[in-house]
């Protein structure tokens, strides 16, 4: 499938092939092999989100909470990490290859597919599995060529994701409403409220 895809792409672009090998991954392998890229993409966003949560706490609560602010930072990081983990696990059950989100997530020069998901996609859409495989390999090979030869593109997209993370803001009015009935002098009550989702962000 990769050889056929490369031969088709050769006819329509001057960019040379950038794949050295192909790979068939399980869903677990997709998570494992793409994790280094996720870490690069997610770390700046996580940092900005956790920092914005700390900045959103009213000053009077900061004075009362004192040592609990460190616990809040840890809880915020854990909450964000859990959300990211759930998101990546969900993607692993849907993606067809390593370039589905528009960025090559896997190792350089490796065109990778997830056969289990390709089979399910083909069956759900009444398509031939081999046709879907060729389509996915065409997309993989084309993405790898683009990112290998447009060397500025990966950095530009990563920077855009970082800029998005910098724009993360917490709705302080919603936080204040949740805090209204909380006894700020009772560390146990604050800890229980945090465990119960006090700082879970509302969907917007």
């Amino acid at each position: 499938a990769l050889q056929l895809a490369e031969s088709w792409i050769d006819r329509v672009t001057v960019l040379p092939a950038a794949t050295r090998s192909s790979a068939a991954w399980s869903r677990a392998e997709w998570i494992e092999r793409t994790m280094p890229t996720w870490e690069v993409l997610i770390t700046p966003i996580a940092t900005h989100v956790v920092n914005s949560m700390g900045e959103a706490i009213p000053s009077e609560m900061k004075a009362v909470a004192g040592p609990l602010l460190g616990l809040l930072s840890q809880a915020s990081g854990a909450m964000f990490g859990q959300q990211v983990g759930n998101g990546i696990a969900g993607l692993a059950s849907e993606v067809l290859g390593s370039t589905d989100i528009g960025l090559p997530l896997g190792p350089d020069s490796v065109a990778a597919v997830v056969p289990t998901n390709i089979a399910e996609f083909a069956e759900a859409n009444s398509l031939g599995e081999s046709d879907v495989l060729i389509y996915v390999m065409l997309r993989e090979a084309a993405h790898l060529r683009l990112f290998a030869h447009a060397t500025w593109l990966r950095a530009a997209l990563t920077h855009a994701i970082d800029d998005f993370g910098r724009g993360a803001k917490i709705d302080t009015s919603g936080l204040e409403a949740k805090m209204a009935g909380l006894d700020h002098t009772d560390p146990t009550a604050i800890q229980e409220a945090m465990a119960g989702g006090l700082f879970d962000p509302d969907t917007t």
Side-chain angles (χ1 to χ4, degrees):
L2 177 60
Q3 290 175 349
L4 180 58
E6 295 285 23
S7 70
W8 287 352
I9 299 173
D10 282 339
R11 303 174 192 173
V12 293
T13 181
V14 297
L15 297 179
T19 53
R20 289 197 305 265
S21 62
S22 60
W25 293 340
S26 67
R27 291 168 176 172
E29 286 173 323
W30 182 89
I31 294 174
E32 181 180 330
R33 303 289 171 82
T34 63
M35 194 53 67
T37 304
W38 285 119
E39 289 174 357
V40 171
L41 297 176
I42 297 299
T43 297
I45 299 177
T47 301
H48 300 317
V49 168
V50 171
N51 288 344
S52 67
M53 285 183 173
E55 293 167 1
I57 298 174
S59 56
E60 60 273 14
M61 184 190 169
K62 287 182 181 179
V64 173
L68 290 177
L69 292 179
L71 181 61
L72 169 61
S73 178
Q74 291 178 349
S76 300
M79 178 186 67
F80 188 80
Q82 183 180 25
Q83 291 174 337
V84 169
N86 289 340
I88 292 175
L91 274 176
S93 67
E94 300 174 3
V95 293
L96 305 180
S98 69
T99 62
D100 289 47
I101 70 165
L103 275 170
L105 295 174
D108 290 341
S109 305
V110 177
V113 296
V114 184
T116 300
N117 293 350
I118 287 176
E120 290 184 359
F121 180 87
E123 182 178 359
N125 292 279
S126 301
L127 299 170
E129 193 171 326
S130 61
D131 292 337
V132 176
L133 177 60
I134 291 172
Y135 165 76
V136 175
M137 272 302 183
L138 277 165
R139 187 175 62 183
E140 290 284 304
H143 272 81
L144 290 171
R145 287 190 193 216
L146 177 62
F147 280 89
H149 300 293
T151 54
W152 55 270
L153 183 56
R154 185 188 297 267
L157 290 175
T158 302
H159 183 70
I161 293 170
D162 186 36
D163 283 345
F164 173 82
R166 291 180 190 278
K169 301 295 180 187
I170 301 299
D171 179 10
T172 55
S173 62
L175 181 60
E176 288 168 1
K178 292 178 180 179
M179 295 293 297
L182 188 63
D183 183 359
H184 297 177
T185 63
D186 184 357
T188 303
I190 294 175
Q191 200 166 9
E192 289 176 353
M194 289 172 60
L198 175 64
F199 295 104
D200 287 356
D202 295 327
T203 302
T204 66

